[in-house]
Amino acid sequence: MTNIIDKYDDLEILSIISEARNFTLSELVFRKIRSMILNGEILSGEKIHENNISDELNVSRGPVREATRRLSQIGLLEYTAQKGLKVKEFNINEIEELYEISISLCKLSGKLIYKNINTKIINELEIMFNSFNQISKKDYKNNHYLLSLKFSENIWKLTKNNELYDIYSHHWQKRRICRLFLISKSNQFKNMYEFNKSLFYSSIKNRSLLMDALKNPDQNLISKILEKQLHNSKIKTLNLFKGGNME
């Protein structure tokens, strides 16, 4: 699968990593490897060659080992006797469980988001929302997908609960890794750009409903929309496991 995204970093838009952010070397390596995984450059089940990464990034093995250790801790890498260090593989039961955990937290998330929402935040979210949500398919660019992810990230951060946000973020990354592997075995998308474009347009309705629920704050409705988003994603992902497509 062709990589289209430049330095896609978790749910942050980092086209260029700024030196002003003062990341440590191990943090930069961590972000680079994670970017490669989330871009589909290294697929689920493929081996991580620390020596090659060290040479490619022109860094010593120490920062690479530290980065791979952290990636293992959050469940993106795993070690096996047969392959050594590799990108985590997920079976259908593991993915279904990830979705169920995330869905079960939507009621609490909606409650916290409702509690923390205010006019200033709503206005900022609406500006971001309007910057990408009405883009026609002929005008679509990959940064529109990244903006939609940033929009989702900002909403989940409104919970102001680090543990809850980490679950959302880590589960999203694992589900993406799984989806990338599954679609790489099919002919549904010709490259990463088309895959992300499909995700962007399939989520338009739910994003609009969520924005409306935030502008006219409704705790139960916010929770239900978050839950519906995850439920729809779950159906599509499980369908991929069964040899179907994401439509």
Side-chain angles (χ1 to χ4, degrees):
M1 181 178 291
T2 304
N3 173 43
I4 301 297
I5 308 175
D6 281 336
K7 295 197 181 349
Y8 173 69
D9 185 80
D10 187 15
L11 299 186
E12 293 183 271
I13 302 168
L14 293 176
S15 298
I16 299 174
I17 297 178
S18 170
E19 294 181 4
R21 298 184 68 166
N22 296 318
F23 290 134
T24 64
L25 187 56
S26 63
E27 176 69 16
L28 290 172
V29 174
F30 168 83
R31 288 168 177 264
K32 173 60 178 176
I33 299 174
R34 185 176 59 181
S35 169
M36 293 168 69
I37 294 169
L38 294 177
N39 278 326
E41 296 175 52
I42 313 173
L43 290 171
S44 182
E46 293 184 357
K47 187 172 181 178
I48 297 292
H49 298 278
E50 291 184 343
N51 284 335
N52 292 350
I53 292 173
S54 178
D55 291 341
E56 179 184 345
L57 301 182
N58 194 27
V59 297
S60 66
R61 287 285 302 279
V64 176
R65 289 196 198 98
E66 173 63 19
T68 56
R69 182 188 65 80
R70 287 179 58 195
L71 288 163
S72 298
Q73 287 179 336
I74 64 175
L76 301 191
L77 300 181
E78 63 182 350
Y79 181 85
T80 65
Q82 295 78 17
K83 282 192 174 183
L85 192 63
K86 66 175 184 177
V87 179
K88 170 76 176 172
E89 292 181 278
F90 298 93
N91 61 44
I92 190 170
N93 292 330
E94 290 171 320
I95 288 299
E96 195 162 13
E97 186 175 278
L98 286 176
Y99 274 110
E100 289 305 315
I101 292 171
S102 296
I103 288 171
S104 71
L105 294 172
C106 286
K107 186 173 183 179
L108 173 60
S109 301
K111 178 181 179 180
L112 294 175
I113 291 169
Y114 175 80
K115 175 184 175 182
N116 295 319
I117 199 77
N118 58 50
T119 302
K120 180 176 181 294
I121 291 172
I122 290 173
N123 290 339
E124 291 172 352
L125 286 172
E126 190 166 25
I127 289 171
M128 175 178 282
F129 175 81
N130 290 335
S131 72
F132 64 79
N133 209 54
Q134 300 300 319
I135 298 298
S136 67
K137 290 191 176 183
K138 68 181 180 65
D139 293 325
Y140 170 84
K141 294 181 175 59
N142 206 60
N143 70 296
H144 295 130
Y145 172 67
L146 297 178
L147 282 169
S148 72
L149 293 179
K150 186 69 175 178
F151 176 76
S152 296
E153 176 192 51
N154 285 344
I155 288 173
W156 280 88
K157 281 185 174 179
L158 284 175
T159 62
K160 296 188 178 179
N161 183 302
N162 291 336
E163 291 185 9
L164 190 58
Y165 174 76
D166 284 346
I167 291 173
Y168 156 75
S169 178
H170 294 160
H171 283 200
W172 180 88
Q173 292 174 65
K174 292 173 184 178
R175 297 195 302 264
R176 182 171 174 89
I177 289 171
C178 178
R179 279 183 161 189
L180 289 173
F181 173 77
L182 293 171
I183 65 169
S184 73
K185 303 302 179 183
S186 72
N187 295 317
Q188 187 176 355
F189 301 102
K190 60 184 179 181
N191 54 42
M192 183 71 70
Y193 175 87
E194 294 298 330
F195 173 56
N196 289 338
K197 184 177 181 180
S198 172
L199 294 176
F200 176 83
Y201 283 103
S202 67
S203 301
I204 284 179
K205 182 177 180 180
N206 275 336
R207 285 198 301 268
S208 298
L209 291 172
L210 185 55
M211 190 68 244
D212 287 342
L214 294 170
K215 288 165 64 177
N216 304 284
D218 183 323
Q219 177 181 323
N220 291 330
L221 186 56
I222 292 170
S223 296
K224 287 179 181 178
I225 294 170
L226 293 176
E227 184 175 335
K228 184 176 181 181
Q229 287 177 330
L230 286 165
H231 180 71
N232 290 344
S233 175
K234 175 185 173 183
I235 290 174
K236 292 177 180 180
T237 303
L238 296 184
N239 196 39
L240 286 173
F241 269 106
K242 298 171 185 176
N245 58 40
M246 287 180 53
E247 302 303 326

